[in-house]
Amino acid sequence: MVKALLLENIHPLGRELLMHAGVEVVTAKGALDEDELIEALQGVDVLGIRSKTNLTARVLESAPDLLAVGAFCIGTNQIDLRAAAGRGVAAFNAPFSNTRSVVELALAEIIALTRRLTEKDKALHAGTWDKSATGAHEVRGRTLGIVGYGNIGTQLSVLAEALGMRVVFYDTAEKLALGNAQRMRSLDELLDVADVVTLHVDGRPGNAGMFGPAQFARMKEGSIFLNLSRGFLVDYAHLRDQIVSGRIVGAAVDVFAEEPKSQGDAFESELRDLPNVILTPHVGGSTEEAQKDIGMFVAGKLRDYLETGATALSVNVPALILDRPRDGSHRIAHLHRNVPGVLAAVNRTLAAGGANIESQVLSTSGDVGYVVTDLSTDLPASELAELLEMEPTIRVRALHPDSED
Ligand SMILES: NC(=O)c1ccc[n+]([C@@H]2O[C@H](COP(=O)([O-])OP(=O)(O)OC[C@H]3O[C@@H](n4cnc5c(N)ncnc54)[C@H](O)[C@@H]3O)[C@@H](O)[C@H]2O)c1
């Protein structure tokens, strides 16, 4: 029986999905350190973690049974992805599951800041009745500038238009404009026209410090700034100066270059105690809905990999979108080092075993290649052993998925 170890309080629906697929599941609330993980992984085929468990090369080396790891979160920095691929451990994450949550927070903040709700709320809690329209606006008709038109930026674009905002965006990659959104040729062009500027770019190293004095200076007088992407992209000391001087009239920040490690730790930032500034502790994607979605999504990827060999959206091995094989066929999934001649060698071995190939797909990515072959007859054990012993072979699995009914 396939065995899974799920750490760090993964959503129960993830466990249920795997159990439903016939996997024996052991769960634990916390993370494990290297030595604990090595011990816990003996006899384990599938590991589920979140951000606090590190799957290092040393752990991988000591976990020969491990077939796949699921990061039940967005980031995969905690996994040595290259070492995992080199040992035939496919890694999966949930790149889209919390995007809607981020978009909804951004929208809530855009409205709250444009309306100066934070100030009205603070004043009334302090016992001051300040009924005035000064500086409070509708978002309808205002221009939203989205920097980074990816999973989050595009969804925000659609919903902001539904609120009557005019949307402009800038992305370094070629992107299809949704609805009436208008593509800007440069960040400066966007900053020239946007009443609200919101960052949704990814955290590639080249983006560090991408938003500093020159960009803030280019923003319109009286505009609003949001960052729910990554903290190290923005010069927050300069944002503070802009807020204090009144050039920028509101900001929402969810991400910081240095974030406290544990619940309840002290938080220091130059952005504390400023008017009309919303600070949130990196909760853009933290909703119960997102956690549930992540649990289902990653567990589904792990189940599909176990049952069919599908690697769609894997973050470290070549992606193959695979249907279930037809009833009665036998699937051989072969992960190998990406060197010339592997496909020919695999097929020679299959032919020597008298196997008739029904279908075959190959994909390579970086150092790793993945070929999946459906055969009309089972492969004799001697040829299976030959595939295992081929020099470039990383891992071979013979799969006999049940029919769907
Ligand atoms: N606050 C949270 O809790 C939370 C949750 C999820 C994601 N995020 C962050 O949100 C950001 C966006 O996530 P996503 O899923 O939409 O990412 P994505 O990869 O789908 O989109 C990022 C887009 O930014 C573009 N881009 C990269 N560098 C750029 C630059 N310098 N200028 C303009 N465009 C640039 C890319 O081409 C891409 O289209 C990421 O940084 C992610 O880490 C935060």
Side-chain angles (χ1 to χ4, degrees), residues 29-102:
K29 279 207 164 106
L32 296 181
D33 68 24
E34 258 198 340
D35 290 329
E36 291 169 330
L37 192 56
I38 288 173
E39 202 184 320
L41 282 178
Q42 300 314 306
V44 168
D45 306 280
V46 172
L47 173 68
I49 57 175
R50 289 169 72 186
S51 58
K52 293 200 170 65
T53 304
N54 290 315
L55 188 58
T56 60
R58 185 175 151 242
V59 175
L60 286 157
E61 204 178 310
S62 316
D65 302 313
L66 197 63
L67 288 174
V69 55
F72 285 73
C73 50
I74 315 300
T76 51
N77 300 346
Q78 71 281 36
I79 302 172
D80 188 331
L81 293 175
R82 195 143 183 244
R87 297 205 162 265
V89 178
F92 299 90
N93 69 339
F96 324 118
S97 296
N98 66 2
T99 54
R100 175 66 181 220
S101 301
V102 179

Side-chain angles (χ1 to χ4, degrees), residues 13 16 24 41 43 56 59 71 82 96 206 221 251 363 371:
L13 283 176
E16 276 168 36
E24 181 192 337
L41 282 178
T56 60
V59 175
R82 195 143 183 244
F96 324 118
E221 176 93 32
S363 177
V371 58

